[in-house]
PDB file of all heavy atoms in Angstrom:
ATOM      1  N   PRO A 168      -2.560  -0.096  -0.003  1.00 98.00           N
ATOM      2  CA  PRO A 168      -3.125   0.038   1.342  1.00 98.00           C
ATOM      3  C   PRO A 168      -4.135  -1.028   1.716  1.00 98.00           C
ATOM      4  O   PRO A 168      -4.768  -0.931   2.769  1.00 98.00           O
ATOM      5  CB  PRO A 168      -3.817   1.394   1.263  1.00 98.00           C
ATOM      6  CG  PRO A 168      -4.291   1.482  -0.141  1.00 98.00           C
ATOM      7  CD  PRO A 168      -3.265   0.769  -0.982  1.00 98.00           C
ATOM      8  N   GLY A 169      -4.350  -2.040   0.841  1.00 98.00           N
ATOM      9  CA  GLY A 169      -5.347  -3.061   1.152  1.00 98.00           C
ATOM     10  C   GLY A 169      -6.695  -2.756   0.537  1.00 98.00           C
ATOM     11  O   GLY A 169      -6.800  -2.017  -0.433  1.00 98.00           O
ATOM     12  N   GLU A 170      -7.755  -3.301   1.154  1.00 98.00           N
ATOM     13  CA  GLU A 170      -9.047  -3.331   0.488  1.00 98.00           C
ATOM     14  C   GLU A 170      -9.979  -2.188   0.846  1.00 98.00           C
ATOM     15  O   GLU A 170     -11.079  -2.092   0.277  1.00 98.00           O
ATOM     16  CB  GLU A 170      -9.758  -4.646   0.800  1.00 98.00           C
ATOM     17  CG  GLU A 170     -10.282  -4.777   2.214  1.00 98.00           C
ATOM     18  CD  GLU A 170     -10.982  -6.123   2.450  1.00 98.00           C
ATOM     19  OE1 GLU A 170     -10.318  -7.162   2.283  1.00 98.00           O
ATOM     20  OE2 GLU A 170     -12.172  -6.117   2.808  1.00 98.00           O
ATOM     21  N   ASP A 171      -9.586  -1.358   1.800  1.00 98.00           N
ATOM     22  CA  ASP A 171     -10.574  -0.390   2.266  1.00 98.00           C
ATOM     23  C   ASP A 171     -10.197   1.055   1.945  1.00 98.00           C
ATOM     24  O   ASP A 171      -9.084   1.498   2.234  1.00 98.00           O
ATOM     25  CB  ASP A 171     -10.731  -0.520   3.785  1.00 98.00           C
ATOM     26  CG  ASP A 171     -11.796   0.419   4.296  1.00 98.00           C
ATOM     27  OD1 ASP A 171     -12.975   0.204   4.008  1.00 98.00           O
ATOM     28  OD2 ASP A 171     -11.426   1.415   4.942  1.00 98.00           O
ATOM     29  N   PRO A 172     -11.143   1.824   1.395  1.00 98.00           N
ATOM     30  CA  PRO A 172     -10.837   3.203   1.018  1.00 98.00           C
ATOM     31  C   PRO A 172     -10.534   4.120   2.195  1.00 98.00           C
ATOM     32  O   PRO A 172      -9.677   4.995   2.105  1.00 98.00           O
ATOM     33  CB  PRO A 172     -12.101   3.659   0.280  1.00 98.00           C
ATOM     34  CG  PRO A 172     -13.165   2.691   0.636  1.00 98.00           C
ATOM     35  CD  PRO A 172     -12.490   1.405   0.966  1.00 98.00           C
ATOM     36  N   TRP A 173     -11.227   3.907   3.324  1.00 98.00           N
ATOM     37  CA  TRP A 173     -10.983   4.782   4.492  1.00 98.00           C
ATOM     38  C   TRP A 173      -9.570   4.521   5.018  1.00 98.00           C
ATOM     39  O   TRP A 173      -8.817   5.442   5.297  1.00 98.00           O
ATOM     40  CB  TRP A 173     -12.022   4.508   5.589  1.00 98.00           C
ATOM     41  CG  TRP A 173     -11.913   5.433   6.754  1.00 98.00           C
ATOM     42  CD1 TRP A 173     -12.519   6.650   6.907  1.00 98.00           C
ATOM     43  CD2 TRP A 173     -11.128   5.226   7.942  1.00 98.00           C
ATOM     44  NE1 TRP A 173     -12.150   7.218   8.101  1.00 98.00           N
ATOM     45  CE2 TRP A 173     -11.309   6.363   8.766  1.00 98.00           C
ATOM     46  CE3 TRP A 173     -10.295   4.203   8.397  1.00 98.00           C
ATOM     47  CZ2 TRP A 173     -10.686   6.505  10.000  1.00 98.00           C
ATOM     48  CZ3 TRP A 173      -9.682   4.339   9.641  1.00 98.00           C
ATOM     49  CH2 TRP A 173      -9.876   5.476  10.421  1.00 98.00           C
ATOM     50  N   LEU A 174      -9.182   3.259   5.098  1.00 98.00           N
ATOM     51  CA  LEU A 174      -7.817   2.924   5.518  1.00 98.00           C
ATOM     52  C   LEU A 174      -6.838   3.529   4.521  1.00 98.00           C
ATOM     53  O   LEU A 174      -5.836   4.147   4.892  1.00 98.00           O
ATOM     54  CB  LEU A 174      -7.641   1.414   5.603  1.00 98.00           C
ATOM     55  CG  LEU A 174      -6.226   0.909   5.870  1.00 98.00           C
ATOM     56  CD1 LEU A 174      -5.685   1.445   7.194  1.00 98.00           C
ATOM     57  CD2 LEU A 174      -6.190  -0.627   5.857  1.00 98.00           C
ATOM     58  N   GLY A 175      -7.147   3.398   3.235  1.00 98.00           N
ATOM     59  CA  GLY A 175      -6.283   3.965   2.200  1.00 98.00           C
ATOM     60  C   GLY A 175      -6.094   5.461   2.375  1.00 98.00           C
ATOM     61  O   GLY A 175      -4.993   5.999   2.187  1.00 98.00           O
ATOM     62  N   ALA A 176      -7.152   6.130   2.780  1.00 98.00           N
ATOM     63  CA  ALA A 176      -7.067   7.581   2.989  1.00 98.00           C
ATOM     64  C   ALA A 176      -6.193   7.919   4.184  1.00 98.00           C
ATOM     65  O   ALA A 176      -5.408   8.885   4.146  1.00 98.00           O
ATOM     66  CB  ALA A 176      -8.475   8.168   3.156  1.00 98.00           C
ATOM     67  N   GLN A 177      -6.266   7.104   5.246  1.00 98.00           N
ATOM     68  CA  GLN A 177      -5.403   7.358   6.421  1.00 98.00           C
ATOM     69  C   GLN A 177      -3.940   7.168   6.032  1.00 98.00           C
ATOM     70  O   GLN A 177      -3.067   7.932   6.426  1.00 98.00           O
ATOM     71  CB  GLN A 177      -5.749   6.400   7.565  1.00 98.00           C
ATOM     72  CG  GLN A 177      -7.219   6.334   7.943  1.00 98.00           C
ATOM     73  CD  GLN A 177      -7.848   7.695   8.117  1.00 98.00           C
ATOM     74  OE1 GLN A 177      -7.374   8.526   8.868  1.00 98.00           O
ATOM     75  NE2 GLN A 177      -8.927   7.927   7.375  1.00 98.00           N
ATOM     76  N   ILE A 178      -3.697   6.122   5.270  1.00 99.00           N
ATOM     77  CA  ILE A 178      -2.312   5.843   4.845  1.00 99.00           C
ATOM     78  C   ILE A 178      -1.815   6.944   3.924  1.00 99.00           C
ATOM     79  O   ILE A 178      -0.690   7.433   4.045  1.00 99.00           O
ATOM     80  CB  ILE A 178      -2.238   4.458   4.169  1.00 99.00           C
ATOM     81  CG1 ILE A 178      -2.449   3.360   5.222  1.00 99.00           C
ATOM     82  CG2 ILE A 178      -0.924   4.263   3.429  1.00 99.00           C
ATOM     83  CD1 ILE A 178      -2.562   1.955   4.672  1.00 99.00           C
ATOM     84  N   ALA A 179      -2.685   7.405   3.044  1.00 98.00           N
ATOM     85  CA  ALA A 179      -2.306   8.463   2.109  1.00 98.00           C
ATOM     86  C   ALA A 179      -1.800   9.694   2.845  1.00 98.00           C
ATOM     87  O   ALA A 179      -0.713  10.211   2.588  1.00 98.00           O
ATOM     88  CB  ALA A 179      -3.494   8.824   1.225  1.00 98.00           C
ATOM     89  N   GLY A 180      -2.586  10.153   3.802  1.00 98.00           N
ATOM     90  CA  GLY A 180      -2.211  11.353   4.543  1.00 98.00           C
ATOM     91  C   GLY A 180      -0.904  11.170   5.304  1.00 98.00           C
ATOM     92  O   GLY A 180      -0.002  12.014   5.237  1.00 98.00           O
ATOM     93  N   ALA A 181      -0.789  10.029   5.960  1.00 98.00           N
ATOM     94  CA  ALA A 181       0.419   9.787   6.770  1.00 98.00           C
ATOM     95  C   ALA A 181       1.658   9.719   5.883  1.00 98.00           C
ATOM     96  O   ALA A 181       2.702  10.297   6.191  1.00 98.00           O
ATOM     97  CB  ALA A 181       0.259   8.495   7.559  1.00 98.00           C
ATOM     98  N   LYS A 182       1.551   9.025   4.770  1.00 99.00           N
ATOM     99  CA  LYS A 182       2.708   8.850   3.885  1.00 99.00           C
ATOM    100  C   LYS A 182       3.117  10.170   3.230  1.00 99.00           C
ATOM    101  O   LYS A 182       4.303  10.496   3.125  1.00 99.00           O
ATOM    102  CB  LYS A 182       2.409   7.796   2.820  1.00 99.00           C
ATOM    103  CG  LYS A 182       2.391   6.366   3.360  1.00 99.00           C
ATOM    104  CD  LYS A 182       3.749   5.980   3.928  1.00 99.00           C
ATOM    105  CE  LYS A 182       3.788   4.573   4.473  1.00 99.00           C
ATOM    106  NZ  LYS A 182       5.052   4.254   5.142  1.00 99.00           N
TER     107      LYS A 182
END
Side-chain angles (χ1 to χ4, degrees):
E170 72 180 60
D171 183 69
W173 185 88
L174 173 60
Q177 309 312 306
I178 290 173
K182 287 298 180 186

